[in-house]
Amino acid sequence: IEIRAQVVDRFGSVGLYVLLTESLCRLPILETARAVLEGGADAVQLREKDKSDGELLALARDLRQLCHQHSALFLMNDRADLAKLSGADGVHLGQEDLPVGEARKLVGPGKVVGKSSHSLEEAQRVLEEGADYIAVGSVFGSRTKPLVVRSGLELISQVSLICERPLMAIGGIDSGNAHEAIHAGANGLAVCRAIVGAQNPHDQVVKINEKG
């Protein structure tokens, strides 16, 4: 119980959580990561679907080292096994990935396990599974995941009423709407394209942090 409480506390201070996908980065991925960390991102997630396991592991280790140099958390998307091998701080799961409890067995104690939800019912199940944080969206719609239905700010408000763990708003968030997600009840913001696809990711992080 004490270890679990420490895990939640580690993620509790995350305000801006940047999702890295190489194909969406305007700059090289490690250069992008360095820029967002220098800009003030609290956590970085590696979200790659098309790389080989060997490539993914090598990249994850580089990113973990970079994140830790900037006192930021590093998480893997989907892959609890590679999170463990790379020394990541945790793993983020989708609805079709492993249950939280099974992923926790792979990553080990003292690691963060978060999960996405796209409805109030999914959010309730994620909380029952014991996720350390929950990502809710797609709040404003997402070009990264166009098949995920836009949930709007109302879902953030609804989930915030039943969630005592960190709640990350995700989906179409940028410097123009970040404050709306926080006002609706999100504790932090998970952002991809608006930051990594920018010519100057550092400045976008600064702008979103100011607005959020």
Side-chain angles (χ1 to χ4, degrees):
I1 294 174
E2 183 178 349
I3 291 176
R4 294 275 289 106
Q6 291 172 356
V7 171
V8 175
D9 286 345
R10 291 185 70 194
F11 203 88
S13 61
V14 171
L16 182 56
Y17 185 12
V18 178
L19 315 181
L20 280 178
T21 300
E22 188 167 34
S23 63
L24 300 178
C25 294
R26 182 170 294 192
L27 304 176
I29 190 166
L30 290 177
E31 186 177 339
T32 301
R34 186 174 291 106
V36 303
L37 291 164
E38 291 175 352
D42 303 300
V44 167
Q45 178 194 130
L46 177 58
R47 185 166 70 180
E48 291 285 351
K49 307 291 185 181
D50 301 323
K51 292 184 181 297
S52 70
D53 285 2
E55 289 177 309
L56 198 52
L57 178 58
L59 178 56
R61 285 174 170 162
D62 287 342
L63 287 169
R64 182 258 302 157
Q65 181 178 13
L66 193 57
C67 286
H68 289 183
Q69 287 171 356
H70 290 81
S71 301
L73 294 172
F74 171 66
L75 287 85
M76 287 293 296
N77 179 263
D78 297 348
R79 299 294 300 273
D81 55 341
L82 295 184
K84 173 71 172 179
L85 290 171
S86 67
D89 298 295
V91 63
H92 181 82
L93 306 168
Q95 282 292 311
E96 297 180 356
D97 295 327
L98 289 172
V100 169
E102 298 302 314
R104 199 179 299 286
K105 292 177 186 177
L106 289 175
V107 296
K111 302 294 185 178
V112 179
V113 180
K115 196 163 189 175
S116 297
S117 64
H118 312 295
S119 68
L120 185 59
E121 293 74 20
E122 286 184 0
Q124 289 171 326
R125 288 197 297 271
V126 168
L127 294 171
E128 289 167 3
E129 285 184 41
D132 298 310
Y133 73 89
I134 182 169
V136 176
S138 174
V139 180
F140 299 108
S142 171
R143 287 188 295 160
T144 304
K145 290 192 173 183
L147 297 180
V148 176
V149 176
R150 175 173 174 162
S151 62
L153 294 166
E154 181 62 25
L155 181 59
I156 295 290
S157 299
Q158 291 172 345
V159 175
S160 70
L161 296 176
I162 64 169
C163 182
E164 296 181 352
R165 289 161 230 171
L167 191 169
M168 300 286 117
I170 188 169
I173 294 168
D174 57 31
S175 60
N177 57 34
H179 66 287
E180 297 179 49
I182 296 298
H183 184 73
N187 303 111
L189 307 168
V191 184
C192 184
R193 190 183 294 266
I195 290 175
V196 306
Q199 186 65 50
N200 193 326
H202 173 284
D203 287 0
Q204 288 302 310
V205 168
V206 171
K207 287 180 181 178
I208 290 175
N209 271 330
E210 288 175 347
K211 300 294 184 178

